[in-house]
mmCIF file of all heavy atoms in Angstrom:
data_model
loop_
_atom_site.group_PDB
_atom_site.id
_atom_site.type_symbol
_atom_site.label_atom_id
_atom_site.label_comp_id
_atom_site.label_asym_id
_atom_site.label_seq_id
_atom_site.Cartn_x
_atom_site.Cartn_y
_atom_site.Cartn_z
ATOM 1 N N ALA N 134 -155.361 -53.904 -183.811
ATOM 2 C CA ALA N 134 -156.597 -53.837 -183.008
ATOM 3 C C ALA N 134 -156.402 -52.946 -181.783
ATOM 4 O O ALA N 134 -157.285 -52.138 -181.432
ATOM 5 C CB ALA N 134 -157.016 -55.241 -182.588
ATOM 6 N N LEU N 135 -155.258 -53.052 -181.129
ATOM 7 C CA LEU N 135 -155.012 -52.258 -179.921
ATOM 8 C C LEU N 135 -154.815 -50.786 -180.260
ATOM 9 O O LEU N 135 -155.186 -49.908 -179.460
ATOM 10 C CB LEU N 135 -153.797 -52.810 -179.169
ATOM 11 C CG LEU N 135 -154.049 -54.136 -178.436
ATOM 12 C CD1 LEU N 135 -152.748 -54.714 -177.907
ATOM 13 C CD2 LEU N 135 -155.037 -53.934 -177.286
ATOM 14 N N ASP N 136 -154.214 -50.498 -181.412
ATOM 15 C CA ASP N 136 -154.080 -49.096 -181.833
ATOM 16 C C ASP N 136 -155.468 -48.460 -181.994
ATOM 17 O O ASP N 136 -155.689 -47.299 -181.594
ATOM 18 C CB ASP N 136 -153.311 -49.003 -183.156
ATOM 19 C CG ASP N 136 -151.801 -49.068 -182.949
ATOM 20 O OD1 ASP N 136 -151.347 -48.841 -181.810
ATOM 21 O OD2 ASP N 136 -151.079 -49.364 -183.922
ATOM 22 N N GLN N 137 -156.377 -49.199 -182.559
ATOM 23 C CA GLN N 137 -157.741 -48.696 -182.721
ATOM 24 C C GLN N 137 -158.429 -48.533 -181.361
ATOM 25 O O GLN N 137 -159.157 -47.562 -181.123
ATOM 26 C CB GLN N 137 -158.549 -49.645 -183.608
ATOM 27 C CG GLN N 137 -158.062 -49.700 -185.050
ATOM 28 C CD GLN N 137 -158.730 -50.805 -185.856
ATOM 29 O OE1 GLN N 137 -159.594 -51.516 -185.347
ATOM 30 N NE2 GLN N 137 -158.342 -50.931 -187.129
ATOM 31 N N SER N 138 -158.155 -49.473 -180.447
ATOM 32 C CA SER N 138 -158.784 -49.389 -179.125
ATOM 33 C C SER N 138 -158.265 -48.203 -178.331
ATOM 34 O O SER N 138 -158.997 -47.618 -177.518
ATOM 35 C CB SER N 138 -158.569 -50.684 -178.348
ATOM 36 O OG SER N 138 -157.208 -50.818 -177.970
ATOM 37 N N ILE N 139 -157.013 -47.800 -178.563
ATOM 38 C CA ILE N 139 -156.467 -46.622 -177.875
ATOM 39 C C ILE N 139 -157.230 -45.371 -178.274
ATOM 40 O O ILE N 139 -157.608 -44.540 -177.432
ATOM 41 C CB ILE N 139 -154.966 -46.464 -178.181
ATOM 42 C CG1 ILE N 139 -154.143 -47.522 -177.430
ATOM 43 C CG2 ILE N 139 -154.463 -45.072 -177.778
ATOM 44 C CD1 ILE N 139 -152.667 -47.457 -177.712
ATOM 45 N N ASP N 140 -157.437 -45.201 -179.565
ATOM 46 C CA ASP N 140 -158.176 -44.033 -180.034
ATOM 47 C C ASP N 140 -159.593 -44.012 -179.456
ATOM 48 O O ASP N 140 -160.097 -42.954 -179.027
ATOM 49 C CB ASP N 140 -158.246 -44.041 -181.571
ATOM 50 C CG ASP N 140 -156.876 -43.867 -182.203
ATOM 51 O OD1 ASP N 140 -155.995 -43.280 -181.534
ATOM 52 O OD2 ASP N 140 -156.681 -44.325 -183.349
ATOM 53 N N ILE N 141 -160.229 -45.174 -179.417
ATOM 54 C CA ILE N 141 -161.593 -45.251 -178.865
ATOM 55 C C ILE N 141 -161.592 -44.918 -177.378
ATOM 56 O O ILE N 141 -162.433 -44.130 -176.891
ATOM 57 C CB ILE N 141 -162.178 -46.658 -179.102
ATOM 58 C CG1 ILE N 141 -162.346 -46.921 -180.613
ATOM 59 C CG2 ILE N 141 -163.523 -46.817 -178.396
ATOM 60 C CD1 ILE N 141 -162.697 -48.355 -180.945
ATOM 61 N N ALA N 142 -160.637 -45.490 -176.625
ATOM 62 C CA ALA N 142 -160.570 -45.254 -175.175
ATOM 63 C C ALA N 142 -160.298 -43.790 -174.864
ATOM 64 O O ALA N 142 -160.897 -43.220 -173.933
ATOM 65 C CB ALA N 142 -159.478 -46.145 -174.560
ATOM 66 N N ASN N 143 -159.398 -43.169 -175.642
ATOM 67 C CA ASN N 143 -159.092 -41.751 -175.405
ATOM 68 C C ASN N 143 -160.316 -40.878 -175.670
ATOM 69 O O ASN N 143 -160.583 -39.915 -174.923
ATOM 70 C CB ASN N 143 -157.926 -41.307 -176.298
ATOM 71 C CG ASN N 143 -156.599 -41.860 -175.828
ATOM 72 O OD1 ASN N 143 -156.458 -42.237 -174.662
ATOM 73 N ND2 ASN N 143 -155.613 -41.923 -176.722
ATOM 74 N N GLN N 144 -161.049 -41.194 -176.704
ATOM 75 C CA GLN N 144 -162.246 -40.412 -177.026
ATOM 76 C C GLN N 144 -163.303 -40.559 -175.937
ATOM 77 O O GLN N 144 -163.927 -39.577 -175.514
ATOM 78 C CB GLN N 144 -162.803 -40.875 -178.386
ATOM 79 C CG GLN N 144 -163.869 -39.948 -178.954
ATOM 80 C CD GLN N 144 -163.326 -38.556 -179.273
ATOM 81 O OE1 GLN N 144 -162.190 -38.418 -179.722
ATOM 82 N NE2 GLN N 144 -164.108 -37.529 -179.013
ATOM 83 N N LEU N 145 -163.463 -41.802 -175.458
ATOM 84 C CA LEU N 145 -164.432 -42.040 -174.383
ATOM 85 C C LEU N 145 -163.998 -41.337 -173.091
ATOM 86 O O LEU N 145 -164.835 -40.821 -172.346
ATOM 87 C CB LEU N 145 -164.582 -43.547 -174.141
ATOM 88 C CG LEU N 145 -165.274 -44.351 -175.258
ATOM 89 C CD1 LEU N 145 -165.206 -45.846 -174.961
ATOM 90 C CD2 LEU N 145 -166.733 -43.908 -175.422
ATOM 91 N N PHE N 146 -162.665 -41.339 -172.837
ATOM 92 C CA PHE N 146 -162.173 -40.688 -171.622
ATOM 93 C C PHE N 146 -162.410 -39.181 -171.667
ATOM 94 O O PHE N 146 -162.771 -38.558 -170.656
ATOM 95 C CB PHE N 146 -160.682 -41.005 -171.455
ATOM 96 C CG PHE N 146 -160.088 -40.437 -170.188
ATOM 97 C CD1 PHE N 146 -160.523 -40.862 -168.929
ATOM 98 C CD2 PHE N 146 -159.088 -39.467 -170.241
ATOM 99 C CE1 PHE N 146 -159.960 -40.348 -167.763
ATOM 100 C CE2 PHE N 146 -158.534 -38.943 -169.078
ATOM 101 C CZ PHE N 146 -158.972 -39.393 -167.829
ATOM 102 N N LYS N 147 -162.219 -38.586 -172.843
ATOM 103 C CA LYS N 147 -162.462 -37.147 -172.983
ATOM 104 C C LYS N 147 -163.919 -36.811 -172.711
ATOM 105 O O LYS N 147 -164.234 -35.749 -172.172
ATOM 106 C CB LYS N 147 -162.079 -36.684 -174.400
ATOM 107 C CG LYS N 147 -160.593 -36.632 -174.673
ATOM 108 C CD LYS N 147 -160.331 -36.172 -176.097
ATOM 109 C CE LYS N 147 -158.850 -36.166 -176.419
ATOM 110 N NZ LYS N 147 -158.580 -35.754 -177.809
ATOM 111 N N ASN N 148 -164.792 -37.731 -173.105
ATOM 112 C CA ASN N 148 -166.228 -37.487 -172.930
ATOM 113 C C ASN N 148 -166.755 -38.062 -171.614
ATOM 114 O O ASN N 148 -167.984 -38.159 -171.440
ATOM 115 C CB ASN N 148 -167.008 -38.096 -174.098
ATOM 116 C CG ASN N 148 -166.641 -37.459 -175.428
ATOM 117 O OD1 ASN N 148 -166.368 -36.265 -175.487
ATOM 118 N ND2 ASN N 148 -166.617 -38.249 -176.486
ATOM 119 N N SER N 149 -165.807 -38.448 -170.731
ATOM 120 C CA SER N 149 -166.158 -38.985 -169.405
ATOM 121 C C SER N 149 -167.027 -40.244 -169.490
ATOM 122 O O SER N 149 -167.833 -40.522 -168.614
ATOM 123 C CB SER N 149 -166.889 -37.911 -168.573
ATOM 124 O OG SER N 149 -166.075 -36.784 -168.408
ATOM 125 N N ARG N 150 -166.840 -41.011 -170.545
ATOM 126 C CA ARG N 150 -167.601 -42.249 -170.680
ATOM 127 C C ARG N 150 -166.741 -43.483 -170.392
ATOM 128 O O ARG N 150 -167.208 -44.615 -170.488
ATOM 129 C CB ARG N 150 -168.179 -42.336 -172.098
ATOM 130 C CG ARG N 150 -169.218 -41.236 -172.379
ATOM 131 C CD ARG N 150 -169.724 -41.329 -173.799
ATOM 132 N NE ARG N 150 -170.391 -42.597 -174.051
ATOM 133 C CZ ARG N 150 -170.811 -42.990 -175.256
ATOM 134 N NH1 ARG N 150 -170.602 -42.195 -176.314
ATOM 135 N NH2 ARG N 150 -171.420 -44.153 -175.406
ATOM 136 N N ALA N 151 -165.456 -43.256 -170.096
ATOM 137 C CA ALA N 151 -164.540 -44.326 -169.691
ATOM 138 C C ALA N 151 -163.616 -43.779 -168.620
ATOM 139 O O ALA N 151 -163.256 -42.589 -168.641
ATOM 140 C CB ALA N 151 -163.728 -44.830 -170.884
ATOM 141 N N ASP N 152 -163.230 -44.626 -167.662
ATOM 142 C CA ASP N 152 -162.343 -44.130 -166.603
ATOM 143 C C ASP N 152 -160.875 -44.286 -167.027
ATOM 144 O O ASP N 152 -160.546 -44.887 -168.044
ATOM 145 C CB ASP N 152 -162.615 -44.856 -165.281
ATOM 146 C CG ASP N 152 -162.385 -46.349 -165.376
ATOM 147 O OD1 ASP N 152 -161.630 -46.775 -166.293
ATOM 148 O OD2 ASP N 152 -162.934 -47.095 -164.549
ATOM 149 N N TYR N 153 -159.995 -43.726 -166.188
ATOM 150 C CA TYR N 153 -158.567 -43.684 -166.523
ATOM 151 C C TYR N 153 -157.944 -45.085 -166.583
ATOM 152 O O TYR N 153 -156.981 -45.334 -167.306
ATOM 153 C CB TYR N 153 -157.815 -42.816 -165.504
ATOM 154 C CG TYR N 153 -157.840 -43.375 -164.097
ATOM 155 C CD1 TYR N 153 -156.821 -44.209 -163.660
ATOM 156 C CD2 TYR N 153 -158.871 -43.082 -163.209
ATOM 157 C CE1 TYR N 153 -156.828 -44.731 -162.377
ATOM 158 C CE2 TYR N 153 -158.888 -43.596 -161.941
ATOM 159 C CZ TYR N 153 -157.866 -44.426 -161.513
ATOM 160 O OH TYR N 153 -157.865 -44.941 -160.253
ATOM 161 N N LEU N 154 -158.476 -46.055 -165.805
ATOM 162 C CA LEU N 154 -157.914 -47.399 -165.802
ATOM 163 C C LEU N 154 -158.057 -48.063 -167.172
ATOM 164 O O LEU N 154 -157.160 -48.750 -167.642
ATOM 165 C CB LEU N 154 -158.591 -48.261 -164.729
ATOM 166 C CG LEU N 154 -158.216 -47.926 -163.282
ATOM 167 C CD1 LEU N 154 -159.017 -48.779 -162.316
ATOM 168 C CD2 LEU N 154 -156.721 -48.133 -163.066
ATOM 169 N N GLU N 155 -159.169 -47.843 -167.820
ATOM 170 C CA GLU N 155 -159.383 -48.408 -169.154
ATOM 171 C C GLU N 155 -158.387 -47.830 -170.155
ATOM 172 O O GLU N 155 -157.841 -48.541 -171.008
ATOM 173 C CB GLU N 155 -160.817 -48.136 -169.619
ATOM 174 C CG GLU N 155 -161.872 -48.918 -168.834
ATOM 175 C CD GLU N 155 -163.291 -48.588 -169.287
ATOM 176 O OE1 GLU N 155 -163.683 -47.415 -169.134
ATOM 177 O OE2 GLU N 155 -163.967 -49.492 -169.802
ATOM 178 N N VAL N 156 -158.166 -46.519 -170.014
ATOM 179 C CA VAL N 156 -157.193 -45.867 -170.898
ATOM 180 C C VAL N 156 -155.797 -46.414 -170.659
ATOM 181 O O VAL N 156 -155.059 -46.763 -171.594
ATOM 182 C CB VAL N 156 -157.218 -44.343 -170.700
ATOM 183 C CG1 VAL N 156 -156.135 -43.677 -171.558
ATOM 184 C CG2 VAL N 156 -158.584 -43.774 -171.044
ATOM 185 N N LEU N 157 -155.396 -46.526 -169.383
ATOM 186 C CA LEU N 157 -154.060 -47.028 -169.036
ATOM 187 C C LEU N 157 -153.855 -48.455 -169.524
ATOM 188 O O LEU N 157 -152.819 -48.791 -170.098
ATOM 189 C CB LEU N 157 -153.852 -46.963 -167.520
ATOM 190 C CG LEU N 157 -153.434 -45.610 -166.939
ATOM 191 C CD1 LEU N 157 -153.371 -45.677 -165.425
ATOM 192 C CD2 LEU N 157 -152.086 -45.179 -167.492
ATOM 193 N N LEU N 158 -154.813 -49.304 -169.279
ATOM 194 C CA LEU N 158 -154.683 -50.707 -169.675
ATOM 195 C C LEU N 158 -154.575 -50.854 -171.185
ATOM 196 O O LEU N 158 -153.784 -51.661 -171.703
ATOM 197 C CB LEU N 158 -155.878 -51.504 -169.150
ATOM 198 C CG LEU N 158 -155.913 -51.745 -167.634
ATOM 199 C CD1 LEU N 158 -157.218 -52.418 -167.222
ATOM 200 C CD2 LEU N 158 -154.718 -52.583 -167.194
ATOM 201 N N ASN N 159 -155.371 -50.067 -171.916
ATOM 202 C CA ASN N 159 -155.294 -50.108 -173.375
ATOM 203 C C ASN N 159 -153.925 -49.651 -173.882
ATOM 204 O O ASN N 159 -153.357 -50.242 -174.794
ATOM 205 C CB ASN N 159 -156.387 -49.233 -173.984
ATOM 206 C CG ASN N 159 -157.674 -50.013 -174.218
ATOM 207 O OD1 ASN N 159 -157.782 -50.777 -175.170
ATOM 208 N ND2 ASN N 159 -158.636 -49.832 -173.334
ATOM 209 N N GLN N 160 -153.422 -48.571 -173.251
ATOM 210 C CA GLN N 160 -152.120 -48.047 -173.683
ATOM 211 C C GLN N 160 -150.998 -49.036 -173.369
ATOM 212 O O GLN N 160 -150.085 -49.244 -174.170
ATOM 213 C CB GLN N 160 -151.859 -46.701 -173.002
ATOM 214 C CG GLN N 160 -152.760 -45.584 -173.519
ATOM 215 C CD GLN N 160 -152.555 -44.281 -172.774
ATOM 216 O OE1 GLN N 160 -151.891 -44.252 -171.722
ATOM 217 N NE2 GLN N 160 -153.136 -43.201 -173.289
#
């Protein structure tokens, strides 16, 4: 589940729809 959430968070971060904290926490 977390592997899938990483891909989603990275995609959202690239599109500026998620901030860096969400990406860091997921990773």
Side-chain angles (χ1 to χ4, degrees):
L135 287 171
D136 278 342
Q137 294 171 2
S138 70
I139 286 178
D140 294 335
I141 295 170
N143 287 339
Q144 192 64 37
L145 291 173
F146 183 64
K147 287 180 182 179
N148 297 325
S149 300
R150 295 178 62 187
D152 61 22
Y153 64 92
L154 288 176
E155 291 178 297
V156 176
L157 278 176
L158 288 174
N159 270 283
Q160 290 176 348

